[in-house]
């Protein structure tokens, strides 16, 4: 296959199998993290495009754990490795969202609050984001997911944006540029979905 034909951000039609796959990963992660400080109050979420029925997506199931305090990699490694998850180094030294999230929205928090842990399951194409329970990104990912589920027109607009960006990504060695460009859409609608989510309580 030529490099020109390769597209790490290639999309596929929504697969109903993604939701039960995510639920299985999260159940195993919950059991593995039992006993860690904060694990009893942690939240386990299926996030990203694979969590939105009808939305085309890269076939990587995104998972999220929101926990406080944020465990260290030493605490996580021996618990997640048996599940097939390994620490994600990022495709590039400046890959977005590996060690911390970028600022988002109108909440001003310290770099410490934006700190995160990122793990991948390469064989099963799953990505595990571990964030602090007080992370704005942790809330926004869930709010954005639910907003897209409830607004078909916005879901279609987001998919059209993703398809255009995916085509621009063809021939590149990774999907970092796609991720950064896609985040612009999230930033643009952030106030809208945050207000919607807060109004719902």
């Amino acid at each position: 296959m030529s490099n020109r034909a390769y597209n790490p951000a290639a999309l596929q039609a929504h697969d109903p199998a993604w939701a039960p796959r995510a639920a299985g990963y999260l159940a195993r992660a919950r059991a593995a993290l039992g006993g860690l400080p904060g694990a009893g109050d942690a939240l386990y979420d299926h996030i990203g495009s694979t969590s939105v029925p009808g939305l085309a997506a890269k076939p990587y199931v995104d998972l999220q754990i929101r926990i406080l305090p944020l465990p260290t990699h030493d605490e996580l490694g021996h618990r997640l490795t048996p599940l097939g998850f390994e620490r994600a180094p990022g495709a590039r030294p400046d890959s977005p969202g590996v060690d911390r999230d970028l600022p988002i929205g109108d909440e001003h928090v310290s770099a410490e609050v934006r700190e995160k842990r990122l793990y991948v399951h390469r064989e099963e194409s799953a990505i595990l984001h571990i964030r602090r329970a007080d992370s704005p990104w942790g809330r926004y990912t869930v709010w954005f997911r639910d907003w897209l589920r409830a607004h078909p027109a916005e879901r279609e607009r987001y998919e059209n944006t993703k398809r255009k960006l995916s085509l621009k990504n063809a021939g590149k060695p990774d999907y970092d540029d796609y991720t950064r460009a896609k985040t612009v859409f999230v930033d643009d609608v952030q106030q809208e979905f945050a207000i919607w989510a807060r109004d719902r309580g």
Side-chain angles (χ1 to χ4, degrees), residues 121-143:
H121 195 309
R122 301 192 189 281
E123 292 182 4
E124 299 293 335
S125 298
I127 303 173
L128 176 59
H129 307 258
I130 303 176
R131 295 180 164 105
R132 289 172 46 125
D134 55 353
S135 160
W137 259 108
R139 290 192 298 280
Y140 290 148
T141 55
V142 173
W143 290 353

Side-chain angles (χ1 to χ4, degrees), residues 99-171:
D99 296 315
R100 62 176 34 84
D101 290 310
L102 297 172
I104 186 173
D106 55 3
E107 295 184 55
H108 301 287
V109 298
S110 67
E112 182 182 11
V113 174
R114 293 188 285 108
E115 190 177 349
K116 64 181 289 193
R117 313 286 184 240
L118 189 67
Y119 286 79
V120 295
H121 195 309
R122 301 192 189 281
E123 292 182 4
E124 299 293 335
S125 298
I127 303 173
L128 176 59
H129 307 258
I130 303 176
R131 295 180 164 105
R132 289 172 46 125
D134 55 353
S135 160
W137 259 108
R139 290 192 298 280
Y140 290 148
T141 55
V142 173
W143 290 353
F144 184 54
R145 176 200 69 191
D146 293 347
W147 181 73
L148 290 175
R149 287 175 175 176
H151 297 84
E154 297 298 341
R155 183 176 67 235
E156 182 177 358
R157 186 161 70 97
Y158 184 45
E159 179 170 318
N160 290 338
T161 298
K162 282 155 52 80
R163 290 192 181 281
K164 291 175 184 175
L165 296 175
S166 177
L167 289 174
K168 289 182 179 179
N169 203 77

Side-chain angles (χ1 to χ4, degrees), residues 46-115:
H46 180 197
I47 58 170
S49 293
T50 63
S51 69
V52 181
L55 181 61
K58 300 190 310 299
Y60 298 93
V61 174
D62 278 293
L63 314 165
Q64 174 177 264
I65 299 173
R66 292 181 278 168
I67 184 171
L68 196 67
L70 186 68
T72 66
H73 283 295
D74 286 343
E75 291 174 312
L76 292 168
H78 71 279
R79 295 169 181 266
L80 296 178
T81 298
L83 305 184
F85 285 97
E86 59 186 69
R87 185 176 176 180
R92 312 178 196 174
D94 63 345
S95 289
V98 176
D99 296 315
R100 62 176 34 84
D101 290 310
L102 297 172
I104 186 173
D106 55 3
E107 295 184 55
H108 301 287
V109 298
S110 67
E112 182 182 11
V113 174
R114 293 188 285 108
E115 190 177 349

